[in-house]
Amino acid sequence: MPSNFDALLVGYENQENLGLRSIVAYLRAQGYKVAMVPFSPNCEQKVLTAIQERQPSLVGFSLIFQYGLEEFHQLMSFLRTNGVSAHFTAGGHFPSLRPEMTLKLMSELDTVVRFEGEFTLEELLDNLGNPSKWNSIKGLAYRSGGKVTLTPLRPLIDDLDRLPYVYRDTTWQSSSGINIASMLASRGCWFNCSFCSIRQFYAGSSGPLRRSRSPNAVVDEMLRLYNESNVRFFSFQDDDFAARTNRQREWLDQFLDCLSSSHLIHEIGWKISCRVDDLEPDILQRMIEHGLIAVYLGVESGSNQSLRTLNKHVTVEQNLSAIQLIKNYNIALAIGFMLFDPSSTVATVKENLRFLRTVGQDGYFPINFCKMLPYAGTPIETQLSNEGRLTGTITHPDYDFLDPKINWYAFLVQRIFTKRNFGSSGLVARLQQSDFELQLNRTLLGDQTASDRQLILRELTQRSNLLALETLEMLLDNVLQRDIDALFNERDTLVEIADREWRGEAEIEMELEAMLSPAYTP
Amino acid sequence: MSERVVKFNPEEWESIFRLRWVWDPPPPWLKLNEEMLHRFTQVELDFKQKELEIEMEKLQALRKLMG
């Protein structure tokens, strides 16, 4: 017998979809029957079965990533074809910033919930059968009389502590037997990096660009997860775990005090993502004393010209200092780095390679690198569009470089390094994961061999970094010094460069597997 | 604030989404002419052969490692 749910929400669940889970928790607290199903490629039948079992009045799709539009559209078409007549709505960055486009492209959708979804979705559920009232629901987009109507935006939620703790499953991600939970202490970011749509996601509505939960509430949620589910590692997904202003530092002081009072600090580890100018020695040291064991730094570039294009408001020197600071404390580090951006020239690429050599030659962390892509709603997308340089598609927006040689170079770099840098089993992911696991083993499990293994891991990471840098430099020399037609005609040079890189990666992967195997003896 | 809906055209949808980031053919932003496309395709074939060889060698090494 089908049980009639009010809503079923579908979304990506890598590292837990905290936005969607917040909505689930809020709606449940208001008395609605709500379920969620993780989205993955080819999940159509699984979602259909979940809908048939629960008979929801509304199905909500969390469209966080622009590149997932097509897959979500296929899912919606499949569901409609198979007789699902529930109300379809979508939320997330792309639908919020491009509601007309979303409704045009996805005829299966009835509405779009724009920006923060908790209250809008609640009002939509209350008025699902009464479209004449939709114009009074703030933050909604819907079709009406051959038009798309956008209602006024809803003010941002003024007090995040009003929201219940996010909905959690009973199963957990784990590493080395340690349960891991994603956490959110704040929403939004004060900065306006040209490649990022976080500011645009929050700036349209009235309210502060960045809001924090109270330190008490964050630690209480951590304590509850520790006590009830034995979660011992907390991965903060805040857009920027900020500690620049006096107010932010007060918040951090209170957060650390609460952690101390909770007696969690020797039992747990945590990770943050932040800007390089958030870190200062005294702040970092205190966070480490309270369990911080990993940092993701938004470095982005080793060229001051590129940092200006990206509107980062930091310098190369600040980037170098922040990385060195982390190294001094021996905690896990990963960085975001864009080897290419719309202002890239041969000179900026060379600056970036020098930067990567400076920070990566000791093997402290695996270097990776990508091309900045102009996602919907970002300032750089507008700029490229105005300059007539925007290419690609809605799902995969792109641009040309001003120097054709850089076009070819970026193309070849992407071809040779995509698996290494971005594959889930690529070398960078394996090295990062191993470093993270060894950090957990060392700090939380007291594993005496972890330090020895970390030294070997650093050697492997160093080899991987130096290999990649040599490949990048060889490739650049060839693209700059030779005619592209000749390079393609001859073929052997490119194949040799790729073969050398991929064989080197394979050797390092094998040594890594051997080092991580239970039979390993230092 | 409102906007007229342009009737959804399946062919338009197809043209929007078929240009995905794939390597065969190469991505659209390269704007390859036919001759260059052909030349890259040859390199890509060599690349794929190399990738396959290395994967096979890795598998053998893994088997050896696992005993």
Side-chain angles (χ1 to χ4, degrees):
Chain A
M1 179 96 176
S3 54
N4 293 317
F5 272 62
D6 295 297
L8 184 134
L9 306 182
V10 185
Y12 285 107
E13 268 282 84
N14 297 348
Q15 300 186 320
E16 298 182 280
N17 187 328
L18 294 179
L20 203 59
R21 286 169 176 273
S22 174
I23 292 173
V24 172
Y26 175 75
L27 292 176
R28 285 186 173 193
Q30 307 310 308
Y32 295 96
K33 252 178 119 175
V34 184
M36 63 180 290
V37 183
F39 176 85
S40 58
N42 308 314
C43 67
E44 288 91 347
Q45 190 56 51
K46 189 177 71 180
V47 176
L48 179 63
T49 304
I51 290 172
Q52 286 167 339
E53 285 172 0
R54 294 172 179 82
Q55 298 292 315
S57 307
L58 174 146
V59 181
F61 300 89
S62 170
L63 273 162
I64 307 172
F65 304 114
Q66 202 165 336
Y67 59 75
L69 280 175
E70 186 181 9
E71 284 170 328
F72 270 94
H73 180 241
Q74 283 169 0
L75 172 62
M76 290 176 204
S77 300
F78 175 83
L79 296 176
R80 288 287 190 232
T81 305
N82 283 276
V84 177
S85 59
H87 182 104
F88 280 2
T89 193
H93 279 234
F94 186 84
S96 295
L97 294 163
R98 296 275 191 275
E100 300 100 331
M101 175 76 79
T102 305
L103 286 166
K104 270 182 215 169
L105 293 178
M106 303 190 174
S107 56
E108 296 82 1
L109 278 175
D110 298 294
T111 56
V112 165
V113 169
R114 301 182 69 200
F115 306 107
E116 285 186 323
E118 285 90 349
F119 300 161
T120 306
L121 201 54
E122 179 188 16
E123 289 183 26
L124 180 60
L125 282 172
D126 284 342
N127 295 285
L128 213 50
N130 198 354
S132 64
K133 292 204 169 172
W134 290 356
N135 62 1
S136 64
I137 301 174
K138 287 181 177 169
L140 198 68
Y142 58 94
R143 294 190 191 83
S144 165
K147 295 179 180 177
V148 169
T149 298
L150 306 180
T151 65
L153 293 181
R154 181 179 297 276
L156 295 171
I157 298 167
D158 56 352
D159 178 7
L160 294 179
D161 285 349
R162 282 174 66 193
L163 299 174
Y165 298 160
V166 300
Y167 165 74
R168 306 281 182 175
D169 288 321
T170 50
T171 55
W172 297 90
Q173 285 183 290
S174 71
S175 179
S176 300
I178 291 169
N179 286 348
I180 297 171
S182 291
M183 291 289 297
L184 209 57
S186 65
R187 288 182 180 180
C189 175
W190 282 0
F191 284 83
N192 195 16
C193 298
S194 63
F195 58 90
C196 179
S197 60
I198 288 168
R199 187 187 179 104
Q200 282 64 35
F201 189 82
Y202 293 110
S205 310
S206 60
L209 285 169
R210 184 176 184 278
R211 293 150 296 151
S212 298
R213 299 169 64 194
S214 68
N216 252 327
V218 177
V219 174
D220 182 64
E221 186 181 5
M222 292 167 78
L223 191 59
R224 200 177 287 190
L225 291 167
Y226 174 78
N227 286 333
E228 293 175 5
S229 306
N230 198 28
V231 172
R232 296 188 65 196
F233 186 78
F234 299 89
S235 181
F236 282 91
Q237 306 291 333
D238 297 44
D239 301 314
D240 176 22
F241 200 95
R244 266 180 314 279
T245 66
N246 287 339
R247 202 168 160 196
Q248 287 164 348
R249 288 182 185 182
E250 274 171 32
W251 187 97
L252 191 63
D253 282 340
Q254 288 171 27
F255 171 68
L256 298 179
D257 287 346
C258 289
L259 273 181
S260 292
S261 307
S262 71
H263 306 295
L264 276 176
I265 52 175
H266 299 300
E267 299 297 320
I268 62 157
W270 43 289
K271 175 195 164 196
I272 60 170
S273 301
C274 66
R275 290 171 53 86
V276 297
D277 50 1
D278 283 320
L279 296 179
E280 285 182 13
D282 60 323
I283 295 171
L284 187 61
Q285 180 162 349
R286 290 185 54 237
M287 287 199 282
I288 291 168
E289 287 165 359
H290 287 75
L292 180 74
I293 61 170
V295 173
Y296 175 92
L297 272 183
V299 168
E300 316 309 355
S301 184
S303 152
N304 280 325
Q305 179 186 310
S306 293
L307 289 168
R308 283 192 293 275
T309 301
L310 302 172
N311 202 31
K312 282 291 295 184
H313 293 284
V314 293
T315 62
V316 172
E317 288 66 32
Q318 284 174 288
N319 282 344
L320 289 169
S321 298
I323 291 171
Q324 188 54 50
L325 184 61
I326 304 253
K327 288 180 176 179
N328 293 344
Y329 286 99
N330 196 28
I331 58 172
L333 168 67
I335 69 169
F337 195 84
M338 299 172 183
L339 180 56
F340 304 103
D341 66 77
S343 67
S344 286
T345 60
V346 172
T348 65
V349 168
K350 284 184 173 175
E351 277 182 273
N352 276 335
L353 295 183
R354 277 197 297 274
F355 180 90
L356 287 175
R357 190 172 281 282
T358 303
V359 299
Q361 64 189 347
D362 61 0
Y364 188 89
F365 68 98
I367 57 167
N368 65 347
F369 36 86
C370 67
K371 176 183 180 183
M372 191 225 82
L373 291 176
Y375 291 117
T378 58
I380 204 88
E381 185 213 29
T382 308
Q383 185 191 326
L384 287 167
S385 176
N386 291 341
E387 292 171 1
R389 292 175 63 195
L390 201 59
T391 63
T393 67
I394 291 171
T395 50
H396 294 78
D398 214 323
Y399 55 90
D400 288 328
F401 298 102
L402 296 173
D403 181 346
K405 288 272 189 187
I406 299 297
N407 263 352
W408 282 113
Y409 181 58
F411 170 82
L412 291 166
V413 167
Q414 209 137 359
R415 174 64 186 92
I416 292 173
F417 287 100
T418 291
K419 189 178 169 200
R420 174 198 185 273
N421 288 349
F422 305 109
S424 58
S425 60
L427 188 53
V428 167
R430 294 289 294 125
L431 290 169
Q432 278 177 345
Q433 190 186 356
S434 304
D435 188 31
F436 175 63
E437 282 178 8
L438 290 174
Q439 286 282 1
L440 283 181
N441 287 356
R442 189 168 62 88
T443 55
L444 295 184
L445 300 179
D447 180 351
Q448 301 298 315
T449 69
S451 293
D452 291 334
R453 289 182 199 236
Q454 260 186 329
L455 286 178
I456 295 167
L457 182 67
R458 294 261 159 93
E459 283 178 29
L460 295 176
T461 306
Q462 182 182 45
R463 275 169 52 195
S464 162
N465 289 350
L466 294 176
L467 175 69
L469 285 163
E470 283 164 18
T471 306
L472 287 164
E473 285 159 359
M474 267 194 277
L475 206 53
L476 184 61
D477 285 345
N478 273 281
V479 169
L480 292 183
Q481 288 167 13
R482 301 183 59 184
D483 179 76
I484 293 295
D485 284 342
L487 197 60
F488 272 57
N489 257 340
E490 184 216 322
R491 285 156 53 190
D492 285 354
T493 306
L494 287 176
V495 174
E496 276 168 25
I497 291 172
D499 182 62
R500 182 176 175 279
E501 172 64 34
W502 294 338
R503 266 181 212 287
E505 289 173 20
E507 277 174 27
I508 295 167
E509 279 175 49
M510 284 303 106
E511 288 183 46
L512 181 63
E513 292 305 326
M515 189 269 282
L516 294 172
S517 78
Y520 170 80
T521 47
Chain B
M1 191 174 166
S2 64
E3 183 185 310
R4 261 197 88 72
V5 176
V6 178
K7 193 170 181 298
F8 178 64
N9 176 352
E11 284 170 14
E12 181 184 297
W13 176 263
E14 175 64 22
S15 72
I16 288 167
F17 285 110
R18 77 177 165 216
L19 300 174
R20 297 188 65 183
W21 183 267
V22 287
W23 293 103
D24 187 18
W29 54 268
L30 278 173
K31 296 178 182 167
L32 297 173
N33 63 38
E34 287 303 310
E35 193 181 356
M36 290 177 83
L37 181 65
H38 174 73
R39 284 173 185 155
F40 180 74
T41 305
Q42 292 305 310
V43 180
E44 178 62 11
L45 286 175
D46 291 344
F47 273 19
K48 279 184 174 148
Q49 191 182 331
K50 282 289 171 198
E51 283 177 314
L52 200 64
E53 275 173 32
I54 293 167
E55 279 304 310
M56 295 297 286
E57 287 170 17
K58 259 169 60 180
L59 270 178
Q60 280 178 351
L62 261 180
R63 278 202 200 103
K64 204 171 159 186
L65 185 71
M66 301 294 180

